[in-house]
Amino acid sequence: MKRDEDAVEDWGQKVSKTFHMSDFFVDNTPDRFIKDKENKSWVVPDKLGRLLDVLVADKIVRPLPSETGMFHANGAQLRSACLSRQVGAALTDAKGNVIATGTNEVPKAGGGVYGGGFESEAGGAVADHRCSVTKHYCSNTRVQSVIMDEVINSIAQLRDAEDKDAIRRALQKTSLGRLLEFSRAVHAEMDAILSATREGSSTVGAKLFVTTFPCHYCARHIVASGIDEVQFIEPYPKSKAFELHGDAIEHIYSDWYRSPPAKPEKVLFRPFTGVAPRLYVRAFLKNRDLKNKAGEQEVSKPKWAPGLLQKSYLEIEKVLGDET
């Protein structure tokens, strides 16, 4: 599994890089039964039933607030020119209204990050000091390399070794290769939180939707900002959020939720479920008639994937084979 997650070879398996490309997410981690009784937290059939409603299109289905929040987070990540990865975040109030978005990018004097303003559209020259524009290298990776060379040169057995590249590759897989603090970029979660506070919006009781699991640096600020819940798509193995802040973070919904007016004692970090950002427009765009000429509701079939769901697996294979 470790090999297939991200094989060294270019032609190898890269499973970790395909996870976020899913159209729909379901969380199957809760136990289906607890002491031979159905677990109410196991909602896989309900989630899959909603997916079928979207695909079959026999009824009008519209996005949940969480799906809209993640859609905005996905859009925000595209603004990032970070050489390492693109991450997006969207902050919503308790009712689902988006109050701020953020992306991982280099901070700009005066507030915000580079690439976040309209100055360049006026036609004048704009100073842009993102890594991709001025430095053309990742500061975090470069400092990591310097530290690794210091380690190698400080230990005689490593300093005298012939294959130092092999040693560097080995060190890259240790905690040295997971250092985060030398990046110039503000993380997406922090950008969203700072953007909200600059505009005077409270983060207390808010929900944060982020395309990648928060790192431990962001986790501490998420907790301190008063955010109630975080939902994420991609895992982030480098994060030590639970290890360092387990006293303030919960990852099991049933252990976190308290019936109103009781307020949860921790911040919930849980995987995003539902329609993925890449399917959002296709699933919810009104591209078909929903009423007849008399104004009565009459849902017509969508034009995409016509009739495939009414066929057997072998029939679908035959249709696809004939088309190709």
Side-chain angles (χ1 to χ4, degrees):
M1 290 181 67
K2 184 174 294 186
R3 177 201 63 199
D4 290 348
E5 179 181 354
D6 190 10
V8 176
E9 300 83 4
D10 291 339
W11 41 263
Q13 295 284 353
K14 310 284 184 182
V15 176
S16 63
K17 296 183 178 180
T18 63
F19 179 83
H20 62 283
M21 299 172 67
S22 299
D23 290 321
F24 195 87
F25 294 97
V26 177
D27 183 12
N28 194 32
T29 54
D31 294 327
R32 183 175 181 180
F33 298 99
I34 298 179
K35 296 180 179 180
D36 297 328
K37 293 184 178 180
E38 193 81 29
N39 181 9
K40 294 181 179 180
S41 297
W42 193 76
V43 293
V44 173
D46 294 335
K47 296 292 184 180
L48 294 180
R50 185 165 179 274
L51 172 60
L52 286 177
D53 288 339
V54 169
L55 296 178
V56 174
D58 283 335
K59 60 179 69 172
I60 300 173
V61 181
R62 286 298 174 259
L64 301 173
S66 58
E67 292 168 337
T68 297
M70 191 59 76
F71 178 73
H72 282 282
N74 182 75
Q77 78 172 352
L78 302 181
R79 304 199 315 262
S80 173
C82 179
L83 301 179
S84 295
R85 63 168 62 219
Q86 287 182 313
V87 181
L91 197 62
T92 72
D93 61 20
K95 296 182 179 180
N97 301 303
V98 178
I99 58 178
T101 61
T103 190
N104 58 318
E105 195 50 271
V106 177
K108 179 179 62 174
V113 297
Y114 288 107
F118 289 99
E119 299 92 341
S120 60
E121 295 186 5
V126 178
D128 190 340
H129 294 281
R130 287 178 284 187
C131 300
S132 62
V133 176
T134 58
K135 294 182 177 296
H136 305 296
Y137 64 82
C138 176
S139 299
N140 194 67
T141 302
R142 179 163 290 191
V143 175
Q144 282 181 342
S145 299
V146 171
I147 294 175
M148 291 176 189
D149 286 341
E150 289 178 356
V151 171
I152 293 173
N153 292 329
S154 64
I155 301 174
Q157 295 91 327
L158 299 180
R159 184 175 62 247
D160 298 335
E162 292 184 3
D163 193 352
K164 290 187 175 58
D165 288 337
I167 297 174
R168 291 189 184 92
R169 288 194 296 269
L171 289 174
Q172 190 67 41
K173 296 180 180 180
T174 69
S175 296
L176 283 177
R178 294 189 289 272
L179 293 176
L180 305 172
E181 62 264 39
F182 304 110
S183 172
R184 298 178 64 228
V186 174
H187 289 191
E189 302 92 317
M190 288 299 302
D191 186 27
I193 292 172
L194 292 171
S195 295
T197 54
R198 280 199 312 273
E199 299 300 323
S201 298
S202 175
T203 56
V204 177
K207 296 180 185 294
L208 182 66
F209 300 89
V210 60
T211 56
T212 303
F213 184 88
C215 72
H216 40 279
Y217 294 120
C218 288
R220 68 182 69 155
H221 291 90
I222 290 170
V223 172
S225 68
I227 290 173
D228 272 357
E229 180 180 340
V230 177
Q231 294 189 28
F232 60 91
I233 291 181
E234 293 185 65
Y236 192 51
K238 292 182 179 180
S239 179
K240 295 185 180 296
F242 287 117
E243 180 180 335
L244 298 176
H245 303 288
D247 61 303
I249 298 175
E250 178 58 66
H251 68 282
I252 301 176
Y253 178 81
S254 58
D255 293 343
W256 170 81
Y257 179 76
R258 300 288 184 273
S259 298
K263 183 175 176 60
E265 298 176 354
K266 296 184 178 182
V267 183
L268 178 65
F269 280 43
R270 64 167 169 172
F272 168 78
T273 59
V275 174
R278 63 179 282 136
L279 184 62
Y280 186 91
V281 173
R282 194 178 183 187
F284 302 123
L285 179 67
K286 183 187 175 298
N287 57 357
R288 56 199 171 110
D289 293 331
L290 300 180
K291 63 179 181 179
N292 58 26
K293 299 297 183 181
E296 300 168 331
Q297 179 174 320
E298 189 175 288
V299 181
S300 63
K301 290 291 184 182
K303 294 180 174 59
W304 54 282
L308 287 182
L309 291 174
Q310 281 71 47
K311 298 179 181 295
S312 69
Y313 172 76
L314 293 177
E315 289 175 321
I316 293 174
E317 286 290 325
K318 184 178 185 304
V319 171
L320 295 177
D322 293 340
E323 290 181 352
T324 56

